[in-house]
Amino acid sequence: MTNRVVVGAQWGDEGKAKITDLLAEKADLVIRYQGGCNAGHTVVANNKTFKFHLIPSGILYKGKICFIGAGTVILPEAFESEIKGLIAEGVDVSGLKINPLASITMPYHTEVDGYSENNATKGKIGTTKKGIGPTYTDKMARIGLKIQDLYSPEALNEKLDIILPLKNKTLKEVYGLEPYSKECILSLCEKYAEIFKPYVCFDWQTVLEDAKRDNKAVLFEGAQGVMLDIDYGTYPFVTSSNPIGGGAATGSGYGPKMIDEVIGVAKAYVTRVGEGPFVTELKDETGNKIREIGHEFGVTTGRPRRCGWFDAVTMKYAVLVGGLTSIALTKIDVFDSFDEIKVCTAYKDTRDGKIYKNYPTDVFIHKYLEPVYETHKGWKQDITGITVYDKLPENAKKYLERLEELLETPISIVSVGPDREQTIFRKDI
Ligand code: IMP
């Protein structure tokens, strides 16, 4: 059985959910390994549209085990409303399991995230305000709460005695926010314990060991994208976790040797929400056209996404640091009516003409960079019904094959529309 990681290869919103959904059909176990409800994954199945934030979309298939892994952060209220929504749609959620080592987003995390974003005069990140950064900050500072703590009076009691004095001092003195009493947090934790109870899997080691021993197929589900990775992305305009393929080996409970393939999902163009550099961004009619045809508005926040041409410079970087073994290219049909399609192959520094073929990691110089483009002829044809690679128009194939050449990586999947059927597999997956 092949174990695969699905990674966003750009700035998130690449259409990972559809690819994850397709691959989940062939997996026995799906594990979401990082992030939280900052993600928004839309899956169209059986003529219904499902919006996932934290729960692996593999839950739509009966009989799959779907883990929310230890590397994730969970906002209890968001989890509760997501699960209720699925149950209301008749989805069987009995396969859902939460690793008790996952971190909890507390109300003070969302408050601090909101405060920082609303009050930033400089250095605004444009976060989803779901408390992601503050939750990971506390996890790394070793003052976070984990799901398992909710069921351990000792852990809660001892941890809160350390956490709360520190937290309240910061809330009051740094942010001017209200402090929390221990009673208040304890009663919240009681409520959270009830919410998670049907899903927490204290026996996760056995489940993972059994699956490994029985050679079950594992799908590791990433959120966000390589360019939002805390270590390799456009720091500080990033999320606070590791969406890269390597993140699967820390956030899932399995090590790197369990991974056979890493599929990087990328759009045929680029989008970004929130602040931060974006060299190929189009602030013109072409950008608007891509946004409208591609319906580029955020699932989690509804924000219009910034749009631009495909950037082979960041993508080549994503192949390297994301550990990508192949690419799933989505939304190529958005270009069906385009006369020309551009691809950025290098950056040029407008100050001295220096050409960058490799991604310059100092994002503070990106404002001086302009894209060097090559132009491809459009195919001017509706390709949304094509499911066989050879039936694609010549210009579409040329475009895809040029991307493979630039990225030195095969494109294994091409998506030509939102439905499961609108997919071209270039190899037997
Ligand atoms: P945070 O993850 O909410 O802290 O936001 C940090 C940055 O990551 C912001 O620019 C967000 O817009 C971006 N971001 C977080 N989650 C997603 C996602 O699922 N898709 C696209 N961008 C995201």
Side-chain angles (χ1 to χ4, degrees):
M1 283 295 184
T2 310
N3 295 336
R4 300 188 175 92
V5 189
V6 175
V7 168
Q10 295 160 329
W11 278 283
D13 309 317
E14 300 91 350
K16 285 184 294 295
K18 173 181 162 174
I19 305 300
T20 312
D21 171 58
L22 285 168
L23 298 176
E25 191 182 4
K26 312 188 188 244
D28 302 296
L29 188 64
V30 184
I31 313 179
R32 166 79 183 268
Y33 60 86
Q34 45 72 232
C37 61
N38 47 349
H41 295 161
T42 308
V43 177
V44 181
N46 311 324
N47 296 323
K48 274 189 193 167
T49 301
F50 295 90
K51 292 191 191 299
F52 291 93
H53 297 284
L54 189 68
I55 296 169
S57 55
I59 203 72
L60 294 178
Y61 295 99
K62 270 204 164 145
K64 311 277 175 199
I65 296 179
C66 292
F67 258 105
I68 299 179
T72 62
V73 294
I74 309 182
L75 177 64
E77 294 81 2
F79 173 82
E80 187 181 31
S81 86
E82 193 172 339
I83 199 100
K84 277 189 177 160
L86 287 173
I87 293 170
E89 286 292 342
V91 177
D92 174 6
V93 294
S94 58
L96 182 66
K97 297 182 188 300
I98 300 176
N99 190 309
L101 292 175
S103 297
I104 306 172
T105 296
M106 299 298 288
Y108 44 79
H109 293 133
T110 34
E111 281 169 34
V112 166
D113 198 5
Y115 178 95
S116 306
E117 282 295 306
N118 296 337
N119 293 286
T121 44
K122 266 183 151 188
K124 192 171 167 186
I125 308 291
T127 76
T128 57
K129 299 185 188 169
K130 302 287 179 191
I132 305 297
T135 313
Y136 277 113
T137 303
D138 279 5
K139 166 178 158 173
M140 291 308 186
R142 295 162 292 197
I143 53 167
L145 291 176
K146 289 181 176 275
I147 297 285
Q148 66 181 13
D149 299 334
L150 300 174
Y151 309 93
S152 164
E154 292 80 11
L156 259 193
N157 193 39
E158 284 184 40
K159 282 177 103 170
L160 287 179
D161 281 345
I162 297 165
I163 295 169
L164 273 184
L166 262 174
K167 194 50 68 187
N168 282 336
K169 196 168 160 58
T170 326
L171 285 174
K172 251 168 65 185
E173 291 176 18
V174 177
Y175 298 100
L177 295 168
E178 287 299 310
Y180 281 86
S181 68
K182 192 170 174 184
E183 293 66 40
C184 168
I185 297 289
L186 283 173
S187 99
L188 273 175
C189 287
E190 228 173 273
K191 194 176 116 201
Y192 296 165
E194 281 307 305
I195 294 175
F196 295 123
K197 203 162 147 194
Y199 311 103
V200 188
C201 180
F202 284 100
D203 203 17
W204 62 274
Q205 297 166 45
T206 309
V207 180
L208 295 198
E209 272 166 1
D210 288 351
K212 187 175 170 188
R213 190 180 313 108
D214 298 344
N215 214 12
K216 298 280 189 200
V218 184
L219 182 69
F220 300 90
E221 178 179 334
Q224 290 84 47
V226 172
M227 299 312 292
L228 287 171
D229 185 273
I230 186 76
D231 291 305
Y232 294 100
T234 46
Y235 191 90
F237 305 99
V238 292
T239 192
S240 298
S241 63
N242 286 115
I244 53 167
T250 56
S252 67
Y254 281 130
K257 280 209 119 183
M258 277 292 282
I259 299 168
D260 300 306
E261 289 180 2
V262 182
I263 301 177
V265 186
K267 276 178 193 158
Y269 48 93
V270 179
T271 62
R272 171 160 210 178
V273 284
E275 308 299 317
F278 179 178
V279 177
T280 62
E281 181 170 11
L282 295 165
K283 292 182 178 163
D284 58 6
E285 270 316 299
T286 309
N288 293 339
K289 189 173 170 187
I290 294 176
R291 185 175 308 108
E292 267 160 42
I293 301 178
H295 308 293
E296 295 299 349
F297 298 89
V299 175
T300 302
T301 58
R303 291 179 287 180
R305 296 178 183 142
R306 301 155 66 194
C307 297
W309 294 119
F310 190 89
D311 181 349
V313 179
T314 56
M315 190 64 201
K316 204 160 166 283
Y317 175 73
V319 167
L320 177 72
V321 302
L324 311 189
T325 55
S326 80
I327 292 162
L329 200 80
T330 63
K331 292 194 140 177
I332 180 171
D333 54 293
V334 168
F335 287 145
D336 281 359
S337 64
F338 280 55
D339 294 321
E340 303 191 316
I341 298 151
K342 295 191 183 192
V343 174
C344 167
T345 55
Y347 297 158
K348 183 177 170 189
D349 194 320
T350 50
R351 294 169 300 176
D352 56 8
K354 182 175 172 182
I355 296 289
Y356 289 91
K357 289 221 165 220
N358 279 339
Y359 173 74
T361 54
D362 174 3
V363 300
F364 292 89
I365 66 152
H366 284 205
K367 55 179 171 286
Y368 304 118
L369 303 179
E370 62 180 28
V372 177
Y373 286 125
E374 60 180 33
T375 304
H376 294 255
K377 276 207 178 117
W379 39 91
K380 306 283 278 181
Q381 181 185 326
D382 180 351
I383 60 165
T384 55
I386 298 178
T387 53
V388 176
Y389 185 76
D390 284 339
K391 300 228 162 109
L392 281 173
E394 274 316 304
N395 284 349
K397 282 195 273 189
K398 272 191 198 155
Y399 174 72
L400 290 167
E401 284 157 30
R402 175 62 179 147
L403 295 188
E404 287 185 312
E405 187 180 46
L406 285 167
L407 306 171
E408 297 178 47
T409 308
I411 296 176
S412 52
I413 300 172
V414 181
S415 170
V416 293
D419 290 337
R420 283 174 177 167
E421 295 70 34
Q422 294 175 294
T423 313
I424 300 169
F425 288 97
R426 295 188 65 202
K427 68 175 189 124
D428 200 17
I429 280 190

